[in-house]
Amino acid sequence: MSLDEAAAAALSQLALAADGAVLGLVLAYAAARSILNYTSSSSALNIIKHAPSLRVSDLRSILSNSDHDSDDRKLVVVRGYVEAKAAVVNDWKSLRSNHALVSPQSGDKAVVLLRTQTCIYNEWRGWFGWTSEIRSVFRRSWKEEESSSLRTIPFVLVDGGIWPYSDYVVVNMNGSRHPVPLVTVYHHLQPITASPYTFLRAFFGDEYPVGLLDEEKILPLGKDITVVGTVGLSNGIPEIKSCKDLPVFMSDMTKEQILVDLSFRIKVLLWSGVVLGSLAIGVLGYAAVRNWNKWKERRQMRQIQRDNTADSSEADTHIVTDEDGNIPEVELCAICLTRRRRSAFIPCGHLVCCQRCARSIEHEVSPKCPLCRQSIRTSVRIYDS
């Protein structure tokens, strides 16, 4: 059995532990997460649905002239074109600075430039491949397989077809963890030349790189995007920030498309929560019934054992020992050869054992008469007249 199969078997045994109770708890946790995500997504859908959809030139009409952001921030949906802030701010510093970032591979101008290099490893395990599996458990967590560099410049949204840009809104990305609608402009997979050291690593099953994937993604100038966030005045200039309670900040889609996408996501979360919750209830109910029955069986077995022990102790107190007297050899117990024969087995009826040895034979898994080897049900104490 390979290490992957052994790990899968161990996980299945863990999931089915306690008659599936662990699996039921996992399903219940997944159902609870789905319901929580459904609740938050439903709230976000209602918020975005009632948020006003405005053009960039209409923002100043809903904002006050105050410079205090925290007092006047409002949630809006704005759609406009991406432009570098330095290109619309008319001051001497912007004339000396670069208006945009330039992709070194494609030459496109952008305001956000993300470059990633991903090292692709082989799937060959070699003759001693199991060793790499063991090492990967301790090493993969801190092993770097991807390196990335992100460059951004301040940018704004403007209305298309209007020059010069008198109305614009600054997009503040500080503290935002939402995805950015980037465009892939460069994608190249470069194979790595093998070496004798690579051959040794492959032979012993150690992972080795076989290719380097180089990608560049940008947010280009002039891209039409939708921004959902809170807008306010910063030094008299409209500025929009992300809202951490909403699942979207910048998107290629329009407001209607965002609402449709969120509605579909909400339906998926709702039904997944219902299905997972039903499965969790069924599995936990089955596990509870099974464990309850096992607990009752164990309790009954313990009670039977206590009763048998009590009966044996009580019987032992009434056993008449004839060690001090003269017992004929033909009347001695066939098992211990020290006490008189006192118990007859049923149904065979043989009188061959003392009462203590007869009790011991009855407690065996398959009790049989020591004389005829017939299965017995119980024994009867024989008293002299």
Side-chain angles (χ1 to χ4, degrees), residues 30 51 54 79 99 113 115-117 139 148 164 189 227 232 252 267 292 295 302 333 343 350 362 368 372:
L54 304 174
R79 189 165 182 87
H99 291 345
L113 176 61
R115 182 174 182 179
T116 60
Q117 288 184 336
R139 187 179 61 183
S148 61
L189 178 60
V227 180
D252 295 327
K267 292 179 180 178
W292 173 256
W295 179 79
R302 287 195 297 267
C333 173
S343 295
H350 289 129
E362 288 180 13
K368 294 181 180 180
C372 65

Side-chain angles (χ1 to χ4, degrees), residues 54-65 74 233 238:
L54 304 174
R55 297 172 54 190
V56 176
S57 57
D58 298 332
L59 289 177
R60 289 188 178 272
S61 62
I62 66 170
L63 297 175
S64 64
N65 295 325
K74 297 178 176 61
L233 290 175

Side-chain angles (χ1 to χ4, degrees), residues 266-285:
I266 287 172
K267 292 179 180 178
V268 173
L269 290 173
L270 175 61
W271 283 108
S272 62
V274 171
V275 172
L276 292 175
S278 301
L279 290 175
I281 292 174
V283 173
L284 289 175

Side-chain angles (χ1 to χ4, degrees), residues 50-303:
H50 294 91
S53 181
L54 304 174
R55 297 172 54 190
V56 176
S57 57
D58 298 332
L59 289 177
R60 289 188 178 272
S61 62
I62 66 170
L63 297 175
S64 64
N65 295 325
S66 174
D67 291 339
H68 300 286
D69 303 358
S70 59
D71 297 335
D72 303 352
R73 303 201 73 86
K74 297 178 176 61
L75 182 69
V76 296
V77 180
V78 183
R79 189 165 182 87
Y81 293 89
V82 175
E83 185 60 66
K85 182 179 180 182
V88 299
V89 178
N90 297 321
D91 57 8
W92 64 274
K93 293 183 179 180
S94 65
L95 297 177
R96 298 178 57 184
S97 61
N98 296 326
H99 291 345
L101 301 173
V102 179
S103 171
Q105 300 295 339
S106 64
D108 296 332
K109 294 183 178 180
V111 294
V112 178
L113 176 61
L114 174 64
R115 182 174 182 179
T116 60
Q117 288 184 336
T118 305
C119 193
I120 301 176
Y121 287 83
N122 70 311
E123 297 181 357
W124 165 255
R125 300 184 182 180
W127 296 100
F128 303 96
W130 58 272
T131 57
S132 64
E133 296 292 344
I134 296 177
R135 288 194 299 269
S136 64
V137 173
F138 303 97
R139 187 179 61 183
R140 189 181 298 274
S141 58
W142 64 79
K143 180 180 179 181
E144 283 191 359
E145 296 184 356
E146 179 179 297
S147 61
S148 61
S149 62
L150 179 66
R151 297 174 58 195
T152 61
I153 61 172
F155 66 97
V156 298
L157 290 184
V158 297
D159 288 327
I162 301 176
W163 181 264
Y165 301 117
S166 58
D167 294 318
Y168 59 90
V169 56
V170 178
V171 180
N172 190 342
M173 296 180 58
N174 295 334
S176 173
R177 296 184 178 181
H178 297 82
V180 181
L182 301 177
V183 178
T184 302
V185 295
Y186 181 74
H187 182 93
H188 179 66
L189 178 60
Q190 179 182 358
I192 297 178
T193 305
S195 64
Y197 177 65
T198 304
F199 173 76
L200 291 177
R201 295 176 66 181
F203 180 79
F204 288 98
D206 196 9
E207 293 181 343
Y208 62 92
V210 295
L212 184 65
L213 180 61
D214 195 356
E215 286 185 311
E216 277 190 1
K217 297 181 180 180
I218 63 172
L219 181 61
L221 296 178
K223 184 176 178 61
D224 190 14
I225 64 172
T226 300
V227 180
V228 181
T230 56
V231 66
L233 290 175
S234 176
N235 297 324
I237 301 174
E239 180 186 64
I240 190 167
K241 294 182 179 180
S242 64
C243 183
K244 64 179 182 179
D245 297 331
L246 300 180
V248 62
F249 178 39
M250 291 184 289
S251 174
D252 295 327
M253 300 181 291
T254 62
K255 178 181 178 180
E256 290 74 16
Q257 292 173 336
I258 292 175
L259 293 177
V260 171
D261 182 70
L262 282 177
S263 299
F264 176 76
R265 188 184 309 177
I266 287 172
K267 292 179 180 178
V268 173
L269 290 173
L270 175 61
W271 283 108
S272 62
V274 171
V275 172
L276 292 175
S278 301
L279 290 175
I281 292 174
V283 173
L284 289 175
Y286 171 78
V289 172
R290 290 276 298 178
N291 285 282
W292 173 256
N293 292 334
K294 287 184 177 180
W295 179 79
K296 290 197 299 184
E297 291 177 0
R298 288 194 296 267
R299 187 179 63 175
Q300 292 175 357
M301 291 298 297
R302 287 195 297 267
Q303 184 65 32

Side-chain angles (χ1 to χ4, degrees), residues 25-39:
L25 292 176
V26 172
L27 291 175
Y29 174 76
R33 288 293 303 270
S34 297
I35 296 300
L36 291 176
N37 291 334
Y38 163 77
T39 304

